């Protein structure tokens, strides 16, 4: 269950937000001042903070800055609650690393949906789907390979082979290892299969094919950097 901290000094608003978040299945903590809120963020490490911009002691932007300055709280998502007139502060909020904002007055239903969306977004891995080596770019998400910006049509198997080599840049991969990881089996097909596919992959990549080196008697490796090729 995700834990949410609501930092809001307006009691009635805080109550209705907390009530609805609890009903949506979240664990909810409440604070009415920035100081109290910061102590709770550090002490309970919530998944998400709903942060009012206008608090009696410090501004919400100060709280946001303090949370973002602490690398042990990097997982904490922040949604700013702002009033309509606070356009400038709203942008400042994003520069400070807030994940989203909701403008007052808001519908509580919409706020609960927004909380769900930000939590889901936070759960996605943030690793770049793109692998680059000199003229070669592999976009894992789009399943696309380009050399010097020109798309190269690869079969699913060739794509997996190149992807595997690129993820292990500079490290020799034995034919057996490649068979296991790319073809997903061992023993049944011969290691010669690997040679055939590497040959075809090199041809398709043209100049960039040279980046895949043969390590005699062992297997293959893609160079660590273009300078080393
Ligand atoms: Ca306020």
């Amino acid at each position: 269950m995700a834990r949410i901290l609501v930092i809001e000094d307006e009691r009635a608003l805080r109550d209705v937000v907390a009530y609805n978040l609890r009903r949506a299945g979240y664990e909810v903590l409440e604070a009415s001042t920035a100081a109290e809120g910061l102590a709770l963020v550090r002490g309970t490490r919530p998944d998400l903070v709903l942060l009012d911009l206008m608090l009696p002691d410090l501004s919400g932007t100060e709280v946001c800055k303090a949370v973002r300055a602490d690398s042990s709280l990097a997982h904490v998502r922040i949604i700013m609650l702002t009033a309509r007139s606070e356009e400038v502060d709203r942008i400042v909020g994003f520069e400070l690393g807030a994940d989203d904002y909701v403008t007052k007055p808001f519908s509580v239903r919409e706020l609960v949906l927004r909380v769900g969306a930000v939590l889901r977004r936070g759960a996605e891995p943030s690793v770049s789907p793109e692998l680059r080596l000199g003229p070669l770019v592999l976009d894992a998400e789009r399943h696309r390979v380009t050399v010097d910006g020109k798309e190269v049509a690869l079969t699913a198997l060739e794509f997996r082979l190149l992807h595997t080599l690129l993820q292990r840049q500079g490290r020799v991969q034995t034919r057996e290892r490649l068979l296991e990881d790319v073809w997903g089996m061992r023993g049944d097909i011969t290691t010669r299969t690997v040679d055939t596919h590497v040959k075809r992959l090199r041809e398709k990549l043209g100049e960039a094919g040279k980046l895949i080196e043969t390590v005699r008697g062992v297997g293959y490796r893609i160079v660590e950097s273009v300078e080393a090729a």
Side-chain angles (χ1 to χ4, degrees), residues 8-10 52-55 104:
E8 166 66 72
D9 57 324
E10 248 174 90
D52 180 30
L53 195 65
M54 305 287 274
L55 292 163
K104 290 180 187 175

Side-chain angles (χ1 to χ4, degrees), residues 160-177:
R160 271 209 308 278
L161 177 60
L162 182 61
H163 196 192
T164 303
L165 288 169
L166 275 170
Q167 282 174 321
R168 301 166 187 175
Q169 233 158 292
R171 286 180 285 158
V172 184
Q173 302 301 308
T174 63
R175 292 176 173 80
E176 290 76 15
R177 181 78 196 272

Side-chain angles (χ1 to χ4, degrees), residues 1-35:
M1 185 182 10
R3 179 182 291 165
I4 298 169
L5 169 62
V6 183
I7 309 179
E8 166 66 72
D9 57 324
E10 248 174 90
R11 174 82 194 271
L13 182 59
R14 195 176 70 237
D15 281 352
V16 74
V17 167
Y19 171 80
N20 281 280
L21 286 172
R22 285 193 185 103
R23 235 180 42 166
Y26 297 110
E27 181 189 342
V28 182
L29 301 165
E30 300 174 50
S32 59
T33 65

